[in-house]
């Protein structure tokens, strides 16, 4: 900055991206005056929690939007720890499909794995092809790659698509996902979750981390930012009146307690810079006639879908569509030493441990529809997954009976809701319903949106942040907010080599800026 005047920054959206941006700017109170605006009544965006009856379910709260991540979530975990919240390690168990002909898992071998042994081995070779021919093959949708390399529909629908859907949350749009994400899931240090195994495909129980109480965390984070001078305005909508060389003019309206929008609660306000940390379609709508053709092209390339998560305790329904318990009929032969050890582990009476379970206690689930096999429903056994339930039981304890568990079933893309099984859930056992507006990782996203971000970021006094700018992960949202603040002149704190490398890659791809270690960008 060339003068002593503070730069006025408006951040639209108080989710992980907006909060991370505000927190990074707030480290420089002498440089920035920060206003953060969100239409919701809470900060955190999709990272929310619900209250539970502790006597009934064994925990007093549940994270119901964002639930956890892997060890790569360095920036996310650093924010948690800054306010005394610690992510908890868990060894992840997954359950794909229903019945001996459809089921497989990362815990023990199944007949389906043996049936597709040759295709599992071929997939390893194809992953290498995608890696070395990334600019050509990586952008193609998964369905095209699977067809190109002549994989069977049975293998595609029962193994590849469910695996990708579960960890990206893409559900019914998974066939259209760029194949680069399949390769990254196994090979990229910044995204890698699984070790590829030519025998069972997934041989390991990967280390994941469940998040602390997100409602409490975002509340404490908000209070701290306010104490540092950040003006947080919730229940507020924004209209962009002007953007230009002189700055940005916004009309901010605050909703009344009755939900009606009061007119001109705040007069038009001028800001030096605007950071849009809201979904791309909302940003495009907000810009309206002020949007450039480049912004319309890039933002218009992000496709969103409406999904609903139903949190419930209906164990009969859950077991009807997912495999939630060990059954010898689901198990293949112990033909190797590794297989024998896996089966022995799965056959044990389930026992609670600090970092998960001994015995088969799956946490993530998928099942496909017989009428349309490439369409998927997803679920979670939150009592097996989230750490607060295990803490109540204590290490060495037996699990609670399934009828006392808390489950989530996720129904994807309301345009296909005629297939949903949500009406089969006992209404008396429903704890919460929440609708989400999720973007799909379509192949077009990596051909049009991600490479286009650098051409709209920083133009017309406007920056963009959010997980939609790359991959739908809480960590990407945090990095994107920090990157926007960095571009405005805030310092990046290099607290971890891996995190710094991740940040540098994001900054290069989405802003076209090379990050130099030891040198921060000047305002």
């Amino acid at each position: 900055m060339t003068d002593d005047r503070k730069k006025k920054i408006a951040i639209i959206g108080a989710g992980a991206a907006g909060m991370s941006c505000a927190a990074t700017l707030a480290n420089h109170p002498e440089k920035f005056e920060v206003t953060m605006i969100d239409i919701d009544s809470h900060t955190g965006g999709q990272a929310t929690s619900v209250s539970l009856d502790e006597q009934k379910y064994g925990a007093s709260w549940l994270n119901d939007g964002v639930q956890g991540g892997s060890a790569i979530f360095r920036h996310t975990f650093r924010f948690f720890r800054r306010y005394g919240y610690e992510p908890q390690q868990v060894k992840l168990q997954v359950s794909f499909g229903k019945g001996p002909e459809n089921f497989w898992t990362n815990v023990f071998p199944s007949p389906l794995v043996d049936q597709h042994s040759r295709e599992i081995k071929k997939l390893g070779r194809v992953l290498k092809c995608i890696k070395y021919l990334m600019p050509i093959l990586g952008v193609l949708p998964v369905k095209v790659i699977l067809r190109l390399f002549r994989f069977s529909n049975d293998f595609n629908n029962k193994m590849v698509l469910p695996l990708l859907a579960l960890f990206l949350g893409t559900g019914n749009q998974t066939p259209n996902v760029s194949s680069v994400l399949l390769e990254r899931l196994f090979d990229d240090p910044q995204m890698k979750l699984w070790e590829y195994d030519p025998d069972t495909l997934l041989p390991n129980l990967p280390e994941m981390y469940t998040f602390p109480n997100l409602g409490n965390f975002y509340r404490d984070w908000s209070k701290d930012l306010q104490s540092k001078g950040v003006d947080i305005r919730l229940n507020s909508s924004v209209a962009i009146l002007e953007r230009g060389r002189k700055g940005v003019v916004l009309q901010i309206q605050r909703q009344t307690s009755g939900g009606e929008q009061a007119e001109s609660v705040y007069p038009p306000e001028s800001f030096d810079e605007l950071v849009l940390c809201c979904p791309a379609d909302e940003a495009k709508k907000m810009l309206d006639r002020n949007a450039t053709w480049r912004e319309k092209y890039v933002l218009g390339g992000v496709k969103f879908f409406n999904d609903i998560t139903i949190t419930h305790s209906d164990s009969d329904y859950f077991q009807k569509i997912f495999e939630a318990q060990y059954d010898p009929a689901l198990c293949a032969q112990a033909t190797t030493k590794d297989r024998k050890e896996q089966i022995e582990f799965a056959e044990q009476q389930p026992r609670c441990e600090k970092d998960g379970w001994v015995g088969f206690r799956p946490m993530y689930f998928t099942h496909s529809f017989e009428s349309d096999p490439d369409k998927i429903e997803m679920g979670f056994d939150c009592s097996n997954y989230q750490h607060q339930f295990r803490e109540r039981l204590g290490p060495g304890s037996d699990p609670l009976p399934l009828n006392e568990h808390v489950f989530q079933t996720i129904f994807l893309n309301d345009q296909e809701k005629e297939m949903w099984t949500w009406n089969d859930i006992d209404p008396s056992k429903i704890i919460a319903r929440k609708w989400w507006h999720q973007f799909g990782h379509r192949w077009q996203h990596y051909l049009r949106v991600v490479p286009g971000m650098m051409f709209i970021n920083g133009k017309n006094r406007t920056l963009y942040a959010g997980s939609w700018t790359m991959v739908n992960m809480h960590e990407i949202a945090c990095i994107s907010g920090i990157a926007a603040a960095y571009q405005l002149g805030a310092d990046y704190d290099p607290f971890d080599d891996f995190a710094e490398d991740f940040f540098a890659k994001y900054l290069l791809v989405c802003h076209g800026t090379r990050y130099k270690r030891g040198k921060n960008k000047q305002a």
Side-chain angles (χ1 to χ4, degrees):
M1 296 177 63
T2 58
D3 56 44
D4 294 330
R5 186 179 67 85
K6 293 183 181 181
K7 187 181 288 187
K8 294 184 66 177
I9 311 296
I11 300 172
I12 312 301
M19 294 287 284
S20 299
C21 183
T24 307
L25 294 171
N27 291 330
H28 306 278
E30 76 287 354
K31 288 184 179 181
F32 305 107
E33 181 180 323
V34 182
T35 300
M36 184 164 57
I37 306 143
D38 200 290
I39 197 167
D40 284 332
S41 60
H42 64 274
T43 58
Q46 295 186 359
T48 58
S49 306
V50 296
S51 298
L52 297 176
D53 182 339
E54 186 170 6
Q55 294 302 315
K56 187 174 182 180
Y57 300 117
S60 61
W61 59 273
L62 171 84
N63 288 329
D64 66 332
V66 182
Q67 297 200 33
S70 69
I72 70 170
F73 282 42
R74 306 292 175 84
H75 298 86
T76 297
F77 294 172
R78 192 182 193 216
F79 283 126
F80 286 163
R81 289 166 178 149
R82 187 176 294 172
Y83 300 98
Y85 293 87
E86 187 66 29
Q88 299 295 323
Q89 189 174 339
V90 61
K91 291 179 179 177
L92 185 65
Q93 299 188 26
V94 295
S95 172
F96 298 102
K98 177 70 176 176
E101 295 181 355
N102 303 303
F103 168 81
W104 67 288
T105 177
N106 67 320
V107 183
F108 58 89
S110 69
L112 185 69
V113 166
D114 285 348
Q115 178 185 337
H116 293 296
S117 175
R118 292 180 62 183
E119 291 187 287
I120 290 173
K121 291 179 174 63
K122 185 167 76 169
L123 181 63
R125 298 192 293 270
V126 171
L127 291 174
K128 291 179 181 179
C129 290
I130 296 172
K131 179 179 181 179
Y132 293 118
L133 297 173
M134 186 65 70
I136 301 170
L137 298 183
V139 75
L140 294 176
V142 169
K143 64 183 179 183
V144 172
I145 289 292
L146 295 175
R147 192 181 307 125
L148 180 66
F149 287 94
R150 305 174 75 92
F151 288 99
S152 69
N153 288 334
D154 196 65
F155 178 68
N156 299 344
N157 294 333
K158 294 179 180 178
M159 297 196 73
V160 180
L161 297 182
L163 171 64
L164 196 53
L166 194 62
F167 295 102
L168 293 178
T170 47
N172 297 344
Q173 287 301 307
T174 305
N176 300 316
V177 167
S178 173
S179 64
V180 65
L181 294 180
L182 178 62
E183 187 273 335
R184 301 285 93 174
L185 196 62
F186 288 97
D187 293 328
D188 184 1
Q190 267 81 41
M191 285 184 63
K192 183 177 180 179
L193 182 61
W194 304 104
E195 299 291 340
Y196 167 78
D197 179 62
D199 180 26
T200 60
L201 185 56
L202 305 182
N204 61 317
L205 305 183
E207 292 182 355
M208 295 283 284
Y209 289 82
T210 59
F211 287 174
N213 187 316
L214 291 172
N216 290 348
F217 162 69
Y218 273 98
R219 178 202 62 203
D220 292 349
W221 196 3
S222 301
K223 288 180 180 178
D224 182 55
L225 292 183
Q226 288 175 315
S227 73
K228 293 178 178 178
V230 177
D231 180 11
I232 300 178
R233 305 185 194 179
L234 302 178
N235 298 306
S236 300
S237 60
V238 176
I240 300 173
L241 303 182
E242 295 179 30
R243 287 191 306 162
R245 287 189 299 174
K246 294 183 179 181
V248 179
V249 180
L250 304 179
Q251 176 71 65
I252 304 171
Q253 296 182 322
R254 184 175 178 83
Q255 292 180 349
T256 65
S257 58
E260 297 177 357
Q261 208 171 62
E263 293 183 1
S264 302
V265 174
Y266 304 106
E269 296 182 61
S270 296
F271 296 89
D272 296 300
E273 303 285 348
L274 175 66
V275 187
L276 290 173
C277 300
C278 52
D281 55 348
E282 292 181 17
K284 184 171 179 282
K285 182 178 180 181
M286 200 179 302
L287 289 170
D288 196 21
R289 288 175 294 179
N290 288 303
T292 66
W293 71 266
R294 285 190 178 91
E295 288 171 324
K296 291 177 182 177
Y297 176 78
V298 174
L299 300 177
V302 188
K303 182 68 173 177
F304 286 85
F305 301 90
N306 295 318
D307 309 333
I308 186 171
T309 296
I310 298 182
T311 304
H312 61 91
S313 60
D314 191 344
S315 59
D316 291 336
Y317 161 80
F318 202 79
Q319 290 183 90
K320 185 173 69 174
I321 62 172
F322 300 124
E323 292 292 356
Q325 299 187 89
Y326 180 76
D327 181 348
L330 302 174
C331 193
Q333 295 297 314
T335 53
T336 67
K337 181 182 177 182
D338 288 343
R339 283 185 168 216
K340 182 178 179 181
E341 291 176 353
Q342 291 174 335
I343 294 169
E344 288 175 349
F345 173 86
E347 288 177 336
Q348 294 182 68
Q349 175 64 31
R351 184 177 72 252
C352 180
E353 297 292 343
K354 181 175 174 57
D355 62 351
W357 295 89
V358 171
F360 184 57
R361 300 298 289 181
M363 304 156 187
Y364 283 22
F365 301 80
T366 69
H367 90 96
S368 301
F369 298 95
E370 289 186 13
S371 59
D372 204 342
D374 65 352
K375 300 294 189 295
I376 296 168
E377 281 182 353
M378 305 191 307
F380 297 93
D381 186 330
C382 301
S383 298
N384 282 346
Y385 180 53
Q386 294 191 26
H387 64 272
Q388 66 272 23
F389 295 95
R390 299 194 309 277
E391 288 173 354
R392 171 73 180 270
L393 291 173
S397 300
D398 293 333
L400 291 172
L402 275 179
N403 61 6
E404 296 180 24
H405 281 214
V406 178
F407 307 101
Q408 287 188 328
T409 311
I410 304 174
F411 302 96
L412 301 145
N413 188 2
D414 63 349
Q415 296 173 8
E416 298 170 335
K417 63 183 177 182
E418 69 279 356
M419 295 190 300
W420 292 357
T421 60
W422 58 345
N423 291 326
D424 295 338
I425 302 174
D426 184 343
S428 68
K429 296 182 179 180
I430 292 176
I431 298 169
R433 293 182 177 90
K434 281 197 178 178
W435 283 93
W436 310 102
H437 193 54
Q438 303 276 19
F439 84 92
H441 300 72
R442 304 180 308 157
W443 65 273
Q444 295 96 326
H445 193 87
Y446 297 93
L447 186 64
R448 174 176 171 180
V449 179
V450 175
M453 289 306 304
M454 69 172 68
F455 299 105
I456 64 172
N457 256 323
K459 306 298 189 296
N460 301 298
R461 302 275 182 167
T462 305
L463 289 154
Y464 297 89
S467 63
W468 61 266
T469 59
M470 188 171 283
V471 181
N472 190 19
M473 298 192 302
H474 192 276
E475 178 70 358
I476 291 293
C478 288
I479 291 174
S480 71
I482 297 169
Y486 178 85
Q487 290 294 84
L488 291 171
D491 289 343
Y492 176 77
D493 183 6
F495 65 97
D496 176 282
D497 288 344
F498 181 91
E500 189 176 16
D501 183 56
F502 203 168
F503 172 79
K505 288 180 178 178
Y506 179 90
L507 194 66
L508 180 63
V509 171
C510 289
H511 291 270
T513 298
R514 286 191 178 277
Y515 170 79
K516 295 182 179 180
R517 290 179 181 270
K519 293 184 179 181
N520 269 297
K521 190 180 179 75
Q522 298 299 312

